[in-house]
Amino acid sequence: MHIEVRGLNKTFGDFHAVRDVSFDIAKGHLIGLLGPSGGGKTSILRMLAGLESPTSGDIIFHGKRVNDLPPQERGIGFVFQNYALFKHMTVYDNVAFGLKVKKTPKDQIRERVMSLVELTGLKGFEHRYPHQLSGGQRQRVAFARALAPEPQLLLLDEPFAAIDAKIRGELRTWLKELIERVGITSIFVTHDQDEAIEVADEIMIINKGQLEQKGSPWDIYKSPQTQFVASFIGESTMVEQVERLRGFEEAANWPGTQALIRPEYIEIGKRSEFRIPSATVQGKVKHLHFRGSEWMVEVEVGDIKLITYRSLEKDVLQPGEDVHVLIHRAYLFNDNDTWIMENKLKEDPMPIHI
Amino acid sequence: MKKVWVSLTYLVFLILLIIPIIKIFTGAWAEGWDGFIEALSRPQALHALMMTGIIVVVVTALNTIFGVMLALYLVRANWIGGKLKQLLNSLVDLPYAVSPVIGGLMIVLILGPSTAIGALFEDIGFKIVYALPGMILATLFVTFPLMVREVMPVLQEIGAQQEEAASTLGAYSWYTFWHVTWPSIRWGVIYGVVLTVARSLGEFGAVLVVSGNIMNKTQTATTLVYQDVENFNVLAANSVALVLAAFSVGLLLLMEWAKKRKEVH
């Protein structure tokens, strides 16, 4: 289903939960609504479902305005954060609910439910009650139940929030594969950037009720359009006086400009480890933290503190050691603009100093 | 010291509960089985028990329907403003705070034959006060909070999500109520029904004021007991009281059972 949202607003009393949000979603796409808690993601999802009515703006499914349609007639499936399974019904009855409402013939219900039960790996659990299932199984039941009436749009509100970290990873992959197989347009809400990046075809970053940026995970990572997006996606260190870093002196041309530098933009090591040593600056290792698969290094360049990672395969650094630091690029922003600046020294390996 | 308190507690329990019940029993059987039957088969006794029966059935039915509905609105309806909801919520408790006698008096003052509304109804041949409708109204007033207060916390606890899930699956409110909400509140409602029956069975003050206590017309079992006592007909009073007591004990057992079921689900 093609989805269009135009100028969507929602207020709860004085609280402006969703501000002028507009977007388009192509048929068959899997979209992640990502943002900090309380940012209005769930409100957008509930308005799409018809569980909440917009204060203003239009929601258009398939070219038809659905603002005034109740949830019953929107052809959507909704997976709630806590699954909201019917606790007095068995797995079978939960999944069959949407079909029974439609008065589907019994044998068809049976066929559809059993195929969904199989698809979601719940075979043998049809006669269990929700309280007899594990968190991951409940999630699957909620998913099968939402899919049973063959909705055209699947909405998932923090679908993995209530599941422990280890199973969450498996479920993510499982869900992504399943949605691809069913081919249904889906939108899920999450506050976990890893989850959004891993699962979604496209991410919409929502902050304070506003849509900050929409794009593929790679686009958003590579070229964030707002400061919020840059700081929210990935890790970064904020540098207030970036013009004091060698190679970024030009930043002084824009007074009041600050920079975000991601750990992966920075390389550190001995002089011999660099192809163009002249592009590096001198730094001092301040702290070392072991992060399981690599070292997180805090390094000081002048009085600017930067964070980066270093492979375990390379020589182990010591706190207090002098190192060379190469900063590939920085993400610059001021009040009216944002852009990425490459290290000028890297571009010109033999700078002429007069 | 502890022993003294324990025995004192038993003593209070004995004096307040056990002795009266034994007394009612022995009182009712003072002239054996025949006396008991005779007291109950008096026309006014049969009529009073019938009146009580009608009131219990009608009040319980009305209170169940409207109590559950009001509980649903107070918990779920978004179209009722927060302030109004609070006001309604506190109004529900009014019958707890007001003495039943005063509740009955209010009905007489509003709907009595000398008032505009009462006269209007009387003109079209519908007597409210000093007749069955007024008695039902009075009992309804007294029992109203019971159902609402039983069902509201259950509704709050289960939350609206299961109902919302049902609506996204295509179910409208009636279907959702019977297939999703009802199974969850069922035992709360049954508990509320038991309380309502018990309360309307034993209601005295409000009914006395509204009914005028006219023998064979507007007399209920409780007001008959009162009149029998006034007339020093202790045997008859004990017999009717015993019937009421027997019902109450039965209800109490039912209540215990309902409570257990409620906790399970």
Side-chain angles (χ1 to χ4, degrees):
Chain A
M1 184 152 64
H2 180 82
I3 291 148
E4 240 183 294
V5 168
R6 294 282 163 263
L8 198 65
N9 275 287
K10 177 73 189 176
T11 51
F12 296 101
D14 296 335
F15 180 60
H16 207 150
V18 176
R19 292 163 193 268
D20 203 29
V21 168
S22 303
F23 56 84
D24 276 273
I25 294 171
K27 188 175 181 327
H29 269 215
L30 174 51
I31 307 290
L33 281 185
L34 176 64
S37 301
K41 308 179 297 288
T42 298
S43 295
I44 293 175
L45 205 69
R46 288 174 64 88
M47 282 190 276
L48 287 175
L51 295 170
E52 213 86 65
S53 47
T55 311
S56 69
D58 295 322
I59 298 169
I60 297 149
F61 288 178
H62 261 328
K64 193 177 149 230
R65 189 175 180 269
V66 295
N67 280 41
D68 305 318
L69 279 186
Q72 288 89 341
E73 283 164 34
R74 292 198 183 187
I76 47 128
F78 200 107
V79 176
F80 289 84
Q81 185 170 2
N82 302 311
Y83 319 132
L85 296 178
F86 306 130
K87 56 180 182 174
H88 56 275
M89 289 186 203
T90 60
V91 169
Y92 183 94
D93 289 329
N94 263 288
V95 179
F97 188 89
L99 299 167
K100 281 186 187 159
V101 171
K102 281 187 176 171
K103 302 213 165 63
T104 313
K106 268 225 167 93
D107 49 329
Q108 278 181 33
I109 293 183
R110 187 156 187 86
E111 206 179 301
R112 176 93 181 127
V113 173
M114 291 321 278
S115 79
L116 277 168
V117 161
E118 198 143 336
L119 187 72
T120 50
L122 288 163
K123 205 154 192 265
F125 293 96
E126 303 95 282
H127 301 296
R128 297 247 190 132
Y129 285 91
H131 65 91
Q132 297 167 314
L133 300 174
S134 71
Q137 287 168 331
R138 279 180 217 173
Q139 218 268 347
R140 286 156 192 251
V141 177
F143 193 70
R145 182 180 68 176
L147 281 182
E150 300 186 39
Q152 297 204 286
L153 170 65
L154 187 65
L155 303 168
L156 307 109
D157 186 6
E158 301 261 3
F160 309 108
I163 295 170
D164 51 277
K166 208 157 181 200
I167 306 167
R168 209 183 296 164
E170 286 169 32
L171 266 178
R172 276 183 206 160
T173 325
W174 174 82
L175 188 76
K176 187 172 168 66
E177 280 172 12
L178 198 57
I179 288 177
E180 270 166 18
R181 197 160 6 144
V182 180
I184 181 177
T185 315
S186 309
I187 303 174
F188 71 98
V189 158
T190 180
H191 61 259
D192 180 346
Q193 52 160 312
D194 293 343
E195 193 170 293
I197 289 169
E198 198 177 309
V199 179
D201 298 329
E202 259 191 305
I203 294 178
M204 291 201 273
I205 310 249
I206 310 283
N207 181 40
K208 292 183 184 155
Q210 277 167 322
L211 176 58
E212 298 263 345
Q213 190 171 354
K214 177 171 179 283
S216 72
W218 174 239
D219 276 342
I220 284 182
Y221 171 79
K222 201 178 52 182
S223 45
Q225 280 161 13
T226 66
Q227 181 204 343
F228 175 79
V229 175
S231 57
F232 191 72
I233 290 282
E235 281 180 81
S236 52
T237 319
M238 193 69 146
V239 179
E240 293 200 358
Q241 287 167 305
V242 68
E243 64 272 12
R244 286 163 63 178
L245 284 171
R246 269 185 65 201
F248 296 93
E249 291 89 346
E250 265 184 36
N253 297 344
W254 297 276
T257 296
Q258 296 182 309
L260 280 171
I261 302 177
R262 296 196 192 283
E264 56 270 34
Y265 292 173
I266 302 170
E267 269 182 82
I268 53 167
K270 310 226 163 66
R271 191 180 159 85
S272 58
E273 291 177 34
F274 293 97
R275 204 167 52 82
I276 317 168
S278 58
T280 62
V281 287
Q282 284 289 328
K284 196 177 200 157
V285 176
K286 188 99 170 119
H287 289 291
L288 282 167
H289 307 270
F290 182 55
R291 279 295 161 86
S293 54
E294 56 201 342
W295 290 104
M296 189 182 100
V297 186
E298 284 179 39
V299 62
E300 255 184 348
V301 177
D303 53 358
I304 297 169
K305 204 172 85 184
L306 298 168
I307 286 171
T308 184
Y309 290 96
R310 186 174 162 88
S311 164
L312 298 178
E313 299 300 324
K314 295 190 176 168
D315 295 339
V316 177
L317 299 171
Q318 297 298 329
E321 203 176 328
D322 285 323
V323 285
H324 287 258
V325 180
L326 173 56
I327 302 160
H328 288 276
R329 67 189 65 84
Y331 180 80
L332 268 59
F333 61 88
N334 54 30
D335 290 341
N336 27 24
D337 205 3
T338 58
W339 70 100
I340 285 170
M341 183 183 274
E342 294 287 334
N343 191 333
K344 291 288 180 287
L345 298 173
K346 248 177 74 187
E347 290 168 10
D348 185 4
M350 284 208 253
I352 301 159
H353 293 293
I354 305 171
Chain B
M1 200 56 200
K2 195 176 158 197
K3 267 188 188 163
V4 176
W5 281 109
V6 170
S7 27
L8 204 66
T9 312
Y10 276 121
L11 194 71
V12 170
F13 186 67
L14 199 74
I15 292 171
L16 281 180
L17 290 170
I18 306 297
I19 291 180
I21 289 176
I22 292 172
K23 204 62 199 144
I24 288 174
F25 242 101
T26 52
W29 298 95
E31 287 174 29
W33 179 249
D34 293 341
F36 177 66
I37 291 294
E38 200 181 314
L40 282 186
S41 57
R42 288 175 301 161
Q44 68 263 38
L46 289 175
H47 187 269
L49 285 170
M50 187 189 73
M51 285 300 275
T52 296
I54 292 171
I55 289 173
V56 166
V57 170
V58 175
V59 165
T60 307
L62 290 177
N63 195 21
T64 304
I65 294 166
F66 291 110
V68 171
M69 259 167 55
L70 186 67
L72 273 172
Y73 287 142
L74 283 179
V75 177
R76 294 278 191 267
N78 300 320
W79 44 268
I80 302 179
K83 287 255 164 65
L84 183 65
K85 221 180 238 182
Q86 248 172 13
L87 182 75
L88 280 174
N89 200 5
S90 42
L91 270 182
V92 168
D93 283 333
L94 190 70
Y96 278 152
V98 174
S99 150
V101 176
I102 293 167
L105 191 66
M106 291 196 305
I107 290 172
V108 174
L109 289 178
I110 297 168
L111 299 169
S114 52
T115 66
I117 308 173
L120 192 80
F121 274 109
E122 213 146 308
D123 280 344
I124 57 169
F126 191 74
K127 216 165 166 264
I128 296 177
V129 171
Y130 308 123
L132 187 63
M135 293 156 74
I136 288 171
L137 224 52
T139 316
L140 212 50
F141 173 82
V142 174
T143 56
F144 194 67
L146 297 172
M147 185 61 77
V148 181
R149 286 285 168 253
E150 271 312 308
V151 177
M152 268 179 75
V154 184
L155 280 173
Q156 268 154 354
E157 199 191 302
I158 61 171
Q161 282 213 335
Q162 288 186 51
E163 288 155 27
E164 286 178 348
S167 75
T168 64
L169 291 166
Y172 283 92
S173 47
W174 191 246
Y175 191 94
T176 304
F177 177 77
W178 285 113
H179 288 85
V180 176
T181 315
W182 174 251
S184 303
I185 61 168
R186 188 167 45 184
W187 294 103
V189 172
I190 289 174
Y191 193 62
V193 164
V194 170
L195 287 176
T196 307
V197 170
R199 191 75 176 85
S200 44
L201 204 61
E203 181 44 37
F204 173 74
V207 168
L208 185 70
V209 175
V210 170
S211 68
N213 201 13
I214 309 160
M215 197 181 278
N216 284 331
K217 257 188 136 173
T218 63
Q219 198 165 47
T220 65
T222 45
T223 53
L224 174 67
V225 171
Y226 167 70
Q227 195 179 1
D228 282 339
V229 171
E230 290 277 277
N231 297 345
F232 299 107
N233 192 352
V234 180
L235 175 78
N238 276 329
S239 302
V240 178
L242 184 63
V243 172
L244 287 176
F247 263 107
S248 299
V249 170
L251 277 172
L252 218 66
L253 295 176
L254 193 67
M255 203 153 78
E256 279 306 304
W257 177 71
K259 210 155 59 176
K260 261 186 213 137
R261 288 305 298 254
K262 200 172 77 166
E263 279 155 15
V264 169
H265 271 269

